[in-house]
Each structure stands twice: as structure tokens, then as C-alpha cells.
Amino acid sequence: MGHGPAALAVEDRLFGALAVLRGIVLLNTVVLSLYRPDDFARPVAGWVCVAAMVGWTALATWAYAQPQRRTPLLLLVDLGLAAGLLLASPAIKGEGFQATVPGFWVMAALLAWAVHWRWRGGLAAAIVLAGADLVIREEITQSNYGNVFLLLLGGPIVGYMAGSLMRMADERDVAERAAAASAERARLARAVHDGVLQVLAMVQRRGVELGGEVAELGRLAGEQETALRTLIQRQDAITTLGPAGDADVADELSRLSNRPGVTVVLPGHPVLLEAGAARELVAAVAACLDNVAAHVGDRAPAWVLLEEFGDRVEVSVRDEGPGIPEGRLERAEADGRLGISQSVRGRLTELGGTAELISDSSGTEWVLSVPRRLAE
């Protein structure tokens, strides 16, 4: 039977408990045999059977303690001995006997099959033991029927419960490993984001500012930053799953870095929003960049910064242009030119968010904020 280390640990504990049970039911059989020695029509044969149960209990307790010793042969001998002692009961105890020679001792073999081979093993062992018990009876009494019923019911139920515990242990083990791997990826992503990615972004920005051969170095740094950021996000996405219908805003925004002069700074992990909201937010950011290209220059530097807060997702778009004169957007809207109003503010308003404009002679910055409740 193939199962993981966690499931095997559960099986080990169950066989440990079964070893205690074997000792208890054996003690019960020995005490009853000593208390009622006249129950044996053939005392010598009876005490040989008791001695066999004592010896097998010791051997089985040792054998079942290690997984590599739990072979099919061991389980077959265990069940065969229990069934054989049942079948020998009429010859040893004589006609009209009430209790079998092994008594409750047979339940140890039944439970061993149930633990090792789950409900199918429990059912198979129960059928064998119940059949042996019925064969030796001259008539089926209510007591005999009760014993058989408990065997046929208990074996599969114990086997099913053992299998369920082992599956749960395996699933918990997988979940714990995934959580540990995810936490390690997040830690590494933060380290990369705080160090390597920021250095690459700075080299790209300074390269554009200085021009010449340094500009080519900045371009290469920008390409490596984008490639590294994409790799981090894809690795993190392996174990970071959002609700159905969510989209990774960081992944969508990273594609905007292909525009000339645009630097995109992102967290080192996915930032999830409802897919429709994510598309509208990215479209608003693209509109801001279109405005930079139209009014500052096709290759004018611009920076996009994505930040994630507990109640909102926020994107800042900044350029170093001459700024937007006060009242210009209002006049454009009054003249029927609704580009910025509809492309940026309109989108954010529909999302229940805000679009704040900060502009002066040193440049323009849009701060776009979307409530985090949209990701729920």
C-alpha cells in the first residue's frame, strides 16, 4: 500500500495501540481459562492453544512494530491462527460449548487487517472470522448473531476510519510543506525586491538620465529587472491562489514596462483583485502613461509604483514633465474633451475608488486607489 510518511506515522501509532489491545484481550483469555479450567474437554489441547496465543501475541507485537515487517504473510498467518482456533473450539471444548477458545482475542487479527488494508481488509477479515464462527455452531442463537454482526460491522468501519486518518495526515503534510515553501518564496521575494530589483530600477533610471553608453546599460538593467520580477511572480503563483475570478494586478502592470521610458516597480508577490476591477485599474494606468507620452514626450521617463494595503490597492504614476496647469482639466471637460476625466477618474469612480492628481512644475503624479473589498 503506497502512502506518505505522515500516513505511515499514523499507521505506526494505530499498530502501537493494537499491541496494547492484544495484551489486554490475551490477558482476558488466560484469566478466564484459569478461572474455568473445566471448560476444556481436552485440557492439554486447550492449554496448548492458550500457549500458542501467548507466543503469537508476543511475536505479532514485535513484528507489527516495524513497517517493513508488516508483510502479507504476517497478516495471513495472524488471521489464519485466529480462524483456526475458532474452528478447533468444538474439538477442544466439547459439544454444547458456549465460548470459543480464543474468545475476544480474534479481534486483534481483524483490526490488524483493517488498519493495514483499510475497509476492504477489515471486511475480508470479518467475513473469514464470522464464517468460522458460524460453521462451528450447531444453531444460530441471538448471541451468536450479535457476535457475527459486530464483526461484519466493526471491521469495515475501523478500516474506513484508519484510511481517513491516514489521508488526512497526508493532506496536512502536503499543506504544511506548501505553506512552508510559499513562506520561503515570499521571504526570498521580499529580499530580492528590497535589494536586487531596486538596484536594477535605479540603474535603469540613472542610465536614461545620463544618456550615451550608460543609457544602454540602463536599458539592459531594465530588461533584467522585468525578467527577474516575472520569474518571482510566477514562482509565487504556484502556491498563491486567489478566489475564482481574481487577477494579478502586478503581472498585468509589469507588461507596461515595455513602453519606452516607463519603469514599473512592483511588490515581490501577486496582488489580487477581481478580474474586471484589475483590468479597469490597469487601463487607467495606461491612460495616464498615454497622457505622459502625448504631453511630455514619447520617451519621457515615467514611473509606475504598485502598493498593497489592507483595505486597498494603490498605484502611483509619476512623470517629470512641466505639470498640468491649474484648471486645464476642468476647461477640457467643459469643452467636451473627456480623455482624462473618463479614462482615469471615470474608471476609478465606477470601481468605488479614487484618482488623485498632484501636479506642479516638477512633474505630475496620479494616485489611483481601489478598495480591497473588490477582491473578496
Side-chain angles (χ1 to χ4, degrees):
M1 302 289 291
H3 39 62
L8 189 59
V10 172
E11 184 176 287
D12 288 343
R13 292 179 68 88
L14 290 175
F15 273 112
L18 181 55
V20 176
L21 179 64
R22 280 183 186 272
I24 293 173
V25 293
L26 174 66
L27 180 63
N28 177 72
T29 300
V30 172
V31 170
L32 288 178
S33 299
L34 291 171
Y35 181 70
R36 296 181 302 199
D38 54 343
D39 277 359
F40 293 134
R42 295 178 173 80
V44 174
W47 285 109
V48 168
C49 290
V50 172
M53 284 188 283
V54 173
W56 180 254
T57 297
L59 179 61
T61 299
W62 168 82
Y64 282 117
Q66 294 297 324
Q68 63 270 23
R69 294 197 289 261
R70 296 170 200 155
T71 62
L73 178 60
L74 174 66
L75 283 108
L76 286 170
V77 173
D78 197 8
L79 182 61
L81 182 59
L85 289 171
L86 284 174
L87 294 172
S89 295
I92 294 174
K93 288 205 166 186
E95 296 182 1
F97 72 95
Q98 296 297 319
T100 63
V101 172
F104 294 125
W105 186 81
V106 300
M107 67 189 299
L110 171 69
L111 295 179
W113 276 59
V115 170
H116 191 69
W117 282 321
R118 319 297 185 261
W119 71 267
R120 292 181 179 86
L123 179 60
I127 291 173
V128 171
L129 294 175
D133 191 81
L134 290 175
V135 164
I136 62 177
R137 304 294 179 177
E138 295 179 357
E139 59 178 352
I140 306 301
T141 64
Q142 184 174 357
S143 176
N144 298 336
Y145 168 78
N147 291 337
V148 169
F149 179 78
L150 289 176
L151 286 172
L152 294 174
L153 184 66
I157 287 179
V158 171
Y160 177 80
M161 292 177 64
S164 297
L165 287 172
M166 293 177 199
R167 283 193 301 274
M168 290 172 60
D170 269 341
E171 291 168 359
R172 184 192 64 187
D173 193 44
V174 170
E176 288 178 348
R177 288 200 304 269
S182 178
E184 179 63 12
R185 272 192 290 271
R187 185 188 68 80
L188 292 174
R190 287 194 299 269
V192 172
H193 177 260
D194 292 342
V196 178
L197 291 180
Q198 289 186 2
V199 170
L200 289 173
M202 182 183 69
V203 171
Q204 181 190 26
R205 184 171 63 253
R206 291 294 295 164
V208 172
E209 293 173 353
L210 295 174
E213 294 182 357
V214 181
E216 178 63 15
L217 178 62
R219 184 186 66 79
L220 294 174
E223 291 177 356
Q224 292 304 310
E225 180 202 6
T226 300
L228 182 56
R229 195 182 301 281
T230 301
L231 176 62
I232 293 171
Q233 291 167 352
R234 287 177 179 172
Q235 287 293 322
D236 196 65
I238 294 174
T239 55
T240 306
L241 303 177
D246 281 4
D248 181 5
V249 181
D251 182 56
E252 296 293 329
L253 286 175
S254 68
R255 301 170 189 174
L256 297 177
S257 61
N258 295 327
R259 296 190 177 202
V262 176
T263 300
V264 181
V265 181
L266 305 170
H269 58 81
V271 177
L272 301 177
L273 274 180
E274 189 274 325
R279 285 194 300 270
E280 290 299 299
L281 178 58
V282 173
V285 173
C288 293
L289 294 176
D290 290 341
N291 197 58
V292 173
H295 298 285
V296 183
D298 290 338
R299 306 186 66 86
W303 292 268
V304 177
L305 171 65
L306 172 63
E307 295 181 280
E308 184 179 20
F309 300 94
D311 60 342
R312 69 190 188 280
V313 172
E314 194 170 280
V315 181
S316 300
V317 184
R318 180 174 60 85
D319 66 61
E320 295 181 342
I324 301 175
E326 186 176 353
R328 176 178 170 182
L329 296 182
E330 289 74 10
R331 289 194 298 272
E333 187 173 350
D335 293 340
R337 292 180 283 112
L338 305 178
I340 290 294
S341 178
Q342 291 296 330
S343 296
V344 179
R345 285 179 172 154
R347 282 190 167 97
L348 271 295
T349 299
E350 289 179 0
L351 296 176
T354 59
E356 181 183 359
L357 174 64
I358 304 170
S359 184
D360 54 32
S361 58
S362 63
T364 299
E365 181 176 9
W366 283 95
V367 181
L368 313 179
S369 179
V370 177
R372 198 56 193 268
R373 58 182 172 80
L374 291 171
E376 297 176 356

